[in-house]
């Protein structure tokens, strides 16, 4: 090996370190370099980086959510939640340890699981709400009767709009989109009313069950 070749070989690691310090890693593709830079900008709180990341990866997030949830409205909801979560958790993201796509995929899985849990809790409350609406052929156990009375009382306290939304959702079995169309309301408003109403009903039931416990 000539003297010049030996010198270049010794300098190569140092050059690579300098390039890493500048945000570049020797051997990376232009796409990988851009993704790494986007991750660093997001970590540093650059809102334009979030917009670029959303434009590039929101279709992936939406597709994952749609496959799991089966609803376009729910997939859109999850997509919004994922990027809000990404922005809020940006300081914990290390672009040197994980790619932007892998990080977003992990957040997406958590938000999908959260929505599945919400839907499960909604279904449980629907069973109670339907029991209030339907006439039971036989006397209900005491605790079920108490739940029905609580739900009936709470629904009666709702303002006209949320009460109508809850009725359409649980008694007429309309989707959120159908309710929004029928009442001429934004989809987000319908979802907010349903979530707040269900949270109130759930809180009343939990308080009641806790008070009646040992």
């Amino acid at each position: 090996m000539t003297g010049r070749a030996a010198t270049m070989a010794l300098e190569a690691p140092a050059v690579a370190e300098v390039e890493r310090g500048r945000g570049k890693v020797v051997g990376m593709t232009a796409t990988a370099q851009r993704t790494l830079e986007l991750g660093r900008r997001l970590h540093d709180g650059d809102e334009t980086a979030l917009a670029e990341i959303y434009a590039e990866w929101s279709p992936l997030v939406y597709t994952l959510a749609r496959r799991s949830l089966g609803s376009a409205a729910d997939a859109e909801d999850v997509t919004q939640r994922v990027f809000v979560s990404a922005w809020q958790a940006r300081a914990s993201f290390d672009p040197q340890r994980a790619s932007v796509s892998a990080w977003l995929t992990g957040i997406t899985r958590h938000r999908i699981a959260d929505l599945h849990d919400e839907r499960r809790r909604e279904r449980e409350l629907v069973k109670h709400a339907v029991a209030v609406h339907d006439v039971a052929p036989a006397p209900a156990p005491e605790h079920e009767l108490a739940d029905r009375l609580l739900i009936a009382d709470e629904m009666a306290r709702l303002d006209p709009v949320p009460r109508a939304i809850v009725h359409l959702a649980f008694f007429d079995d309309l989707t959120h989109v159908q309710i929004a169309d029928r009442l001429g309301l934004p989809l987000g408003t319908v979802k907010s009313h349903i979530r707040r109403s269900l949270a109130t009903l759930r809180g009343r039931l939990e308080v009641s069950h806790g008070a009646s416990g040992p």
Side-chain angles (χ1 to χ4, degrees):
M1 179 181 293
T2 65
R4 175 59 179 164
T7 300
M8 292 177 64
L10 291 172
E11 289 178 349
V15 171
E17 285 301 319
V18 170
E19 291 298 318
R20 288 190 183 92
R22 293 174 181 167
K24 298 179 181 179
V25 179
V26 174
M28 289 182 67
T29 65
T31 299
Q33 293 281 9
R34 176 177 173 275
T35 300
L36 180 62
E37 181 60 23
L38 275 175
R40 285 176 172 153
R41 286 167 53 202
L42 176 68
H43 175 85
D44 293 340
D46 185 342
E47 293 184 8
T48 61
L50 178 65
E52 292 177 46
I53 288 170
Y54 180 88
E56 186 160 345
W57 282 285
S58 60
L60 169 64
V61 172
Y62 176 87
T63 298
L64 292 173
R66 181 67 186 269
R67 286 176 182 171
S68 179
L69 298 164
S71 162
D74 285 344
E76 291 172 0
D77 191 4
V78 164
T79 301
Q80 293 176 2
R81 295 189 192 191
V82 166
F83 286 94
V84 169
S85 296
W87 178 252
Q88 293 172 339
R90 62 189 182 278
S92 65
F93 173 53
D94 183 355
Q96 298 283 6
R97 296 173 62 89
S99 67
V100 172
S101 59
W103 185 59
L104 289 174
T105 298
I107 296 175
T108 301
R109 288 174 179 152
H110 285 297
R111 297 293 80 81
I112 289 173
D114 290 344
L115 197 55
H116 275 303
D117 286 342
E118 289 180 19
R119 294 294 176 262
R120 176 182 54 78
R121 290 193 294 270
E122 286 180 3
R123 287 193 296 270
E124 291 173 354
L125 283 169
V126 167
K127 292 178 182 178
H128 287 292
V130 171
V132 175
H133 186 260
D134 294 337
V135 178
E142 183 177 345
H143 70 278
E144 290 185 7
L145 178 59
D147 285 350
R148 292 183 187 184
L149 293 174
L150 279 172
I151 293 172
D153 178 59
E154 194 59 45
M155 288 188 66
R157 296 185 185 188
L158 294 175
D159 290 335
V161 172
R163 184 165 64 244
I165 290 173
V166 170
H167 193 282
L168 290 171
F170 299 143
F171 301 145
D172 294 346
D173 200 26
L174 298 186
T175 67
H176 294 175
V177 174
Q178 289 171 331
I179 295 171
D181 289 342
R182 176 172 294 191
L183 298 180
L185 295 171
L187 181 58
T189 299
V190 171
K191 291 182 177 181
S192 296
H193 278 306
I194 289 177
R195 286 174 185 154
R196 284 197 295 267
S197 299
L198 288 175
T200 301
L201 291 170
R202 182 164 57 248
R204 290 287 298 274
L205 287 173
E206 289 173 352
V207 169
S208 173
H209 291 168
S212 61

